[in-house]
């Protein structure tokens, strides 16, 4: 009836209590900050409180059980026996509260996340739409004046472009990081005013029906010093090599190395201190991880980013990020705005 739940059942050794909000959305379409799903061989129960009861009763294929607001305490009274739980989604306090009810609790990791990593074409369509809006917004954004304006002001302009182009919202807080701020991969927009000769790292995405896009481009405010130009060329060459490595069956370690080797050869290896990419879908960071440390391998219909960066402390940063669908025969690139160095005024 529900193919996602059927596939999950195939991987279960005991009933699973699903409580990560994105996993509940994925399996049922039901969005709530306080819900859990018990997946058993013959039935699925959905637990949530009064605030969500009306929406929960409309979910097909589940038995809805209204609980008090303290969900785990309620579950401790309602459930019994051996139950798997999502160990990465439950706090120590919630675990203690379930445990007090005498349940035999088995920690489980990544079961629903592994299903979510391989997108169906309906999900790809939503991500593709979010990426199209993102690409159009980046192209229009390049026509803005940058020098003399603050990062915060420009981030707001970009989010307005997402809205005008039909996004349901930003996928995450947009990053606009200029000059030395760009050397911090997860910098947040500040009131710092952009000046000439700086790079501006712009990392943002639109979302459509809960599915996210994630894209980074680095613009130049006027002419760049030689060091930043070289860093840009190295980053772009690494990014293009990384795209070539996005093939089903390739290990995450090898996919990461495809880009990293090129950046190392250009002399910037030490300045690329994070992994090459990550899965994107209902969440902006999800499975698979593409990095030196990852155990994952790429599979067809993974949606992943390819985002090498070069970060020069005190000077500036470069990052170039595309969102791609892993396909037999080569990646489908969803983010299409120019990757040649764009000079803004
Ligand atoms: Zn990003
Ligand atoms: Zn990313």
């Amino acid at each position: 009836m529900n193919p996602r739940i059927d596939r999950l059942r195939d991987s279960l050794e005991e009933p699973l209590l699903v409580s990560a909000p994105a996993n509940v959305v994925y399996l049922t379409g039901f969005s709530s900050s306080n819900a859990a799903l018990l997946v058993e061989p013959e039935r699925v129960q959905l637990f949530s409180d009064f605030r969500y009861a009306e929406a929960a009763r409309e979910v097909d294929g589940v038995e809805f059980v209204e609980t008090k607001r303290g969900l785990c305490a309620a579950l401790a009274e309602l459930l019994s026996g051996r139950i798997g739980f999502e160990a990465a989604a439950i706090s120590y306090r919630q675990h203690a509260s379930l445990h007090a009810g005498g349940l035999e609790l088995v920690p489980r990791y990544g079961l629903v996340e592994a299903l979510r990593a391989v997108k169906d074409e309906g999900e790809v369509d939503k991500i593709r739409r979010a990426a199209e809006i993102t690409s159009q917004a980046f192209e229009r954004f390049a026509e803005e004046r940058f020098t003399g304006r603050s990062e915060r002001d420009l981030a707001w302009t970009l989010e307005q472009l997402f809205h005008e182009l039909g996004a349901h919202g930003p996928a995450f807080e947009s990053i606009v990081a200029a000059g030395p701020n760009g050397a911090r991969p997860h910098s947040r927009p500040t009131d710092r005013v952009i000046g000439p000769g700086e790079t501006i790292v712009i990392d943002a995405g639109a979302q459509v029906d809960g599915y996210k896009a994630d894209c980074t481009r680095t613009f130049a405010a006027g002419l760049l010093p030689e060091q930043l130009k070289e860093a840009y060329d190295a980053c772009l060459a690494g990014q293009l090599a990384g795209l070539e490595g996005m093939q089903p069956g390739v290990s995450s370690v090898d996919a990461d190395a495809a880009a990293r080797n090129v950046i190392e050869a250009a002399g910037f290896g030490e300045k690329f201190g994070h992994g090459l990419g990550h899965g994107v879908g209902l969440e902006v960071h999800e499975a698979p991880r593409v990095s030196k440390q990852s155990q994952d391998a790429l599979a067809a219909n993974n949606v992943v980013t390819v985002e090498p960066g070069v970060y020069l402390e005190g000077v500036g940063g470069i990052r170039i990020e595309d969102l791609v669908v892993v396909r037999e025969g080569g990646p489908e690139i969803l983010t299409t705005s120019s990757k040649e160095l764009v000079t803004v005024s």
Side-chain angles (χ1 to χ4, degrees):
M1 253 196 17
N2 179 324
R4 293 178 182 177
I5 286 176
D6 289 342
R7 260 181 286 138
L8 176 62
R9 279 196 179 109
D10 290 343
S11 66
L12 299 185
E13 289 170 40
E14 64 280 305
L16 180 68
L17 188 67
V18 177
S19 60
N23 289 346
V24 174
V25 169
Y26 178 74
L27 294 171
T28 65
F30 177 69
S31 178
S32 163
S33 63
N34 193 40
L37 207 60
L38 184 67
V39 179
E40 296 174 281
E42 300 300 331
R43 67 169 179 178
V44 180
Q45 288 177 286
L46 172 61
F47 305 90
S48 191
D49 69 70
F50 173 81
R51 294 169 298 163
Y52 299 101
E54 190 181 340
R57 282 193 196 92
E58 290 170 1
V59 178
D60 281 335
V62 303
E63 293 171 26
F64 172 59
V65 181
E66 186 175 327
T67 66
K68 56 191 175 186
R69 187 89 167 249
L71 192 61
C72 286
L75 290 170
E77 288 171 20
L78 289 166
L79 308 183
S80 60
R82 184 177 165 87
I83 287 178
F85 69 99
E86 296 189 301
I90 274 189
S91 69
Y92 186 85
R93 181 204 289 257
Q94 288 170 324
H95 182 273
S97 152
L98 285 172
H99 193 257
L103 292 171
E104 187 191 342
L105 293 165
V106 184
R108 294 292 178 193
Y109 295 89
L111 295 171
V112 183
E113 287 83 353
L115 300 179
R116 281 171 48 199
V118 178
K119 271 66 178 177
D120 63 42
E121 291 304 324
E123 295 181 286
V124 172
D125 286 344
K126 289 172 183 165
I127 299 169
R128 190 186 288 112
R129 181 74 196 120
E132 278 167 6
I133 292 170
T134 304
S135 300
Q136 286 169 19
F138 271 69
E139 277 169 19
R140 286 215 219 158
F141 196 47
E143 290 160 20
E144 291 288 322
R145 180 167 190 89
F146 278 69
T147 50
R149 290 174 69 186
S150 72
E151 295 167 343
R152 213 189 291 278
D153 179 33
L154 283 155
W156 173 237
T157 298
L158 182 58
E159 291 186 8
Q160 285 174 301
L161 287 169
F162 287 155
H163 176 75
E164 282 167 26
L165 290 161
H168 296 172
F172 53 94
E173 191 186 349
S174 304
I175 293 173
V176 175
N181 290 344
R184 300 173 184 179
H186 274 184
S187 175
R188 300 176 73 180
T190 70
D191 288 323
R192 187 180 177 282
V193 170
I194 293 162
E198 297 181 346
T199 57
I200 306 128
V201 178
I202 302 136
D203 186 351
Q207 69 168 295
V208 170
D209 287 337
Y211 282 86
K212 320 273 194 267
D214 186 7
C215 178
T216 307
R217 294 292 183 264
T218 300
F219 295 167
L223 286 177
L224 291 183
E226 200 54 37
Q227 186 191 25
L228 283 171
K229 264 195 281 181
E230 278 172 27
Y232 192 94
D233 291 343
C235 187
L236 180 56
Q239 207 267 345
L240 296 173
L243 288 175
E244 299 236 336
M246 290 287 133
Q247 305 282 350
V250 172
S251 73
S252 282
V253 174
D254 287 348
D256 179 275
R260 194 170 301 279
N261 291 344
V262 170
I263 293 172
E264 270 171 11
F268 291 105
E270 308 236 305
K271 308 297 181 190
F272 173 23
H274 56 72
L276 181 63
H278 54 86
V280 178
L282 288 168
E283 291 179 291
V284 74
H285 293 106
E286 56 181 55
R289 304 278 163 175
V290 185
S291 78
K292 279 195 278 197
Q293 289 86 27
S294 176
Q295 311 276 320
D296 297 329
L298 296 173
N301 281 41
N302 285 160
V303 173
V304 290
T305 66
V306 179
E307 52 173 309
V310 174
Y311 306 98
L312 305 175
E313 201 182 325
V315 179
I318 317 281
R319 186 166 61 257
I320 303 171
E321 173 179 36
D322 278 325
L323 187 60
V324 310
V325 191
V326 177
R327 303 283 197 191
E328 300 289 346
E332 177 187 347
I333 300 171
L334 302 178
T335 40
T336 55
S337 69
S338 176
K339 290 188 286 191
E340 294 305 315
L341 184 58
V342 170
T343 303
V344 293
S345 53

